[in-house]
Amino acid sequence: MEAIEDNMGTAAHDLTTLEHKEKALARYKMERDWFAFLLEAAGGMDTPEGKLQVKLLTILLDSKEKVISSVMNDTPFVAAYYCTAPEILNAMNLPWFMIMETPFLAASAPYLLDDLRGAEEMGMGTDLCSAIRLPMYYIESGLMPVPSAVVGLLSPCDGTTMLQQVLQHNPAWKNVPLFAPDPPYTSDERAIRYFANELRTMVSFLEEKTGRKMDMHRLREVCEESNRTYKLWQEYNELRRAVPCPHGWEIGGAQAFAVSQCFVAGDPRCTDWFQQLLECGEIKVKEGRGANEYFPEKIRILWFDIMPYGWVFEFMPWLEQEWGAILVMDMFSNFPYTLIDTSSEETMFHDLAKRNLMDVPMIRQARGTAENFSSDITRMVKDYKIDCVIWPGHMGHKDGAATAGIMRETCRGLGVPFLHIGLDLFDRRYTSVEEVKDKVSEFFRGMGLG
Amino acid sequence: MTAFDDHIRQVTEFVATMRQQGRPVRQFALPNDANHLRAGLPIQVGAGANPGIILRSDTFVELGNPDAGSCGFGLWTENPSLLEDGRVTLIGPDITESPLGSLPFGQVVMVGGAGLIADDQVAIGQAQVVADQIEGYMVRSSSRNIWSRVSKRVGARGFSFDTLARSLMFLIKSALPKVESVEIAFVTSSKDDLLTLNQIAESAQAIGRAALKEHWKARGYDLDCDLHCGSCHDKTVCDDIRKVVATRLRKDKEALGDDAQ
């Protein structure tokens, strides 16, 4: 590949190791500062939910600081994913960041659109999932810290596999040791045992490449803490069945996913966050208060995908204000998890494999057979008293697009309206926010919901 | 013979084994008619019967939380004579006899009807999703296990496994006219007993998944992808590309090594 210039005019392939490190660190710090700014703003909110936001951002910032410290001091750290058993990284005391961190967690950052343009200027196809395109851009333009080791991801889509290929060819990354646990196609006991063995191999790989050792006693502690966290999450999710739903898009749902597995999995601070979330929710349910004090709940939505992070602030509040439409459940807030049996090393790896192969969002739906698209919708519609299902049809979720018919037919059987939009969750230029609003309004009106 | 007949026999054998091993096994007969089932209930049943949610502080008994153990599955047959309509089997303590407010929970719902066909599998599964249809009873949103709560309010009115079985039988018979007989087994004796029951569940669930696949195939949708590398006519091309990529990577690394020297 030719040397590529980023939108700051620097050819990443021409950088020395030190220059690359400084450039990546500068960007990583910029992202940290964005969250520090959000923390400062949240600090001024004297509400239980505001304090919840402060706790979340504190956990997030701490994980970012650990990565920054590792880069600066040349100590081991790892690039990985939420679905590659982050409990293992915590047990091995390995700081880590998610390769898709920016689209998943920092899509509200002011530079996102510039980065998407930068990716296009590099020649990346605009039909390639933005969540994949962005990290590719960061790798190619030297904006992502080069880790000591990479835990790759080979599911749920071809795009993730391609992402590993990009970093394997990048001059700064190609000598970074990479291990990608191999996910089987099926979801039976044999598949779980196979993947458990892959996770064990991942541990050996990390031990060899980072020098950090796995202590099984510590893994048990982390998994037990993770279980405490997940138990509270499930308890909280029951609250979202209440009519009106105590929280909408802003609190509880997607945050719960992030706190449980995107920063530090199995940490008492995460459990504490969920405890407070639960208390906030219980108070509102007991008082019969809904998500939005000013706009009462009229339509209960299941948004069956990631939230539209790239334009979430323009769309989700509009749904509440214009239609009284509350996001009661989404793919990432759903709770299909089983707890980890910590009675032995074997049971821990078995259940971590099960969780990361069959429970975590997107992997659960799109890795193997497609039955969860139907069964999860059925269960959520019934449990959460859903009035309509929206499959946003993110341009990168081509695997899901293939099952839109299954989802539509499932909803028809359940008697709930189904909307398939077709958009980019991160890039507002693909389908404009106004166009999405029009489609949703037309749908609500046509189905007699509004 | 339908796919689950053998599993129904295994459940019968499981009950017999539990009895032989000295577990407390009680069996009682409920009415066959849906209206009679409903008439004997101390609670409301039907859509919206449980409009609220049951908070921790409102819970009388929790059934099947992960620490206690859980196993739930459904079976069906086109041979109703394999079942005794209205029979409920309870292995272990009843809800009203729970000392700690928590019990292990196994639930096997078996339905029979001469007119049932494989395509009814989805409807049979959906009819067992309780949602808000049983007053004071909430099945938590756990996709793999059955984990539920009985509220203090209905606990005080004597909510028992008799109540739960009546409610489930009423809901199933109301939703599925083809069903002629329903039999339910509850297990609350121990987590270990549920592990034994789980072996039957796993085998039944594998058959259930295959039936689901056929259900969708008949509608023109493939849940499964039958293609794999070994069956693809482009395999040789892909293999060649991989070899080229591997060679290129090796050469790049060698070049990098030379530069370093």
Side-chain angles (χ1 to χ4, degrees), chain A residues 174-175 185 231 234-235 238-239 241 278 282 335 358-359 369-371 379 382-383 385 405 409, chain B residues 53 55-56 67 126 132 139-142 144 147 149 209 216 219 221 223-225 252 256:
Chain A
K174 70 181 182 183
N175 290 318
Y185 179 70
K231 275 183 190 173
Q234 182 171 30
E235 189 68 39
E238 304 303 335
L239 300 177
R241 292 160 76 146
L278 186 59
E282 281 185 347
F335 192 94
M358 289 155 66
D359 298 348
T369 54
E371 67 258 34
R379 190 63 193 268
K382 290 196 171 204
D383 280 352
K385 300 185 178 72
E409 199 145 322
Chain B
I53 54 172
L55 300 175
R56 290 177 296 181
D67 296 331
Q126 285 197 9
D132 64 350
V139 179
R140 302 184 62 176
S141 304
S142 164
R144 216 182 307 272
W147 182 3
R149 278 178 180 170
R209 278 196 294 273
W216 282 107
R219 281 155 182 75
Y221 300 105
L223 289 186
D224 212 348
C225 177
D252 282 356
L256 204 73

Side-chain angles (χ1 to χ4, degrees), chain B residues 127-258:
Chain B
Q128 292 172 44
V129 179
V130 168
D132 64 350
Q133 298 184 94
I134 302 177
E135 184 190 354
Y137 184 70
M138 178 177 89
V139 179
R140 302 184 62 176
S141 304
S142 164
S143 64
R144 216 182 307 272
N145 300 319
I146 183 160
W147 182 3
S148 60
R149 278 178 180 170
V150 178
S151 76
K152 282 179 182 167
R153 202 161 42 82
V154 299
R157 277 151 53 191
F159 191 106
S160 64
F161 281 115
D162 179 297
T163 319
L164 180 57
R166 274 176 194 271
S167 307
L168 290 171
M169 285 180 179
F170 167 76
L171 291 171
I172 291 166
K173 287 189 169 177
S174 307
L176 305 167
K178 281 197 222 170
V179 169
E180 296 166 36
S181 54
V182 185
E183 194 178 326
I184 300 177
F186 296 116
V187 183
T188 61
S189 45
S190 73
K191 196 172 185 175
D192 283 346
D193 291 345
L194 293 179
L195 289 177
T196 313
L197 193 63
N198 241 329
Q199 290 167 7
I200 307 173
E202 275 171 20
S203 159
Q205 280 155 1
I207 293 171
R209 278 196 294 273
L212 198 63
K213 194 174 143 184
E214 292 307 312
H215 167 87
W216 282 107
K217 207 171 188 110
R219 281 155 182 75
Y221 300 105
D222 281 323
L223 289 186
D224 212 348
C225 177
D226 295 331
L227 290 172
H228 57 87
C229 285
S231 70
C232 177
H233 64 274
D234 288 328
K235 184 176 185 305
T236 321
V237 179
C238 277
D239 287 348
D240 286 347
I241 291 169
R242 279 201 192 94
K243 279 179 200 162
V244 171
V245 169
T247 308
R248 193 181 148 184
L249 262 178
R250 198 178 60 244
K251 283 189 174 171
D252 282 356
K253 283 192 177 173
E254 282 168 6
L256 204 73
D258 291 345

Side-chain angles (χ1 to χ4, degrees), chain A residues 40 63 67 163 176 211 227 237 242 258 280 286 297 323 387 443:
Chain A
E40 207 178 305
S63 80
V67 171
L163 181 52
V176 177
N227 282 346
N237 262 19
C280 289
K286 281 179 182 166
E297 174 182 302
W323 290 98
D387 295 316
F443 169 70

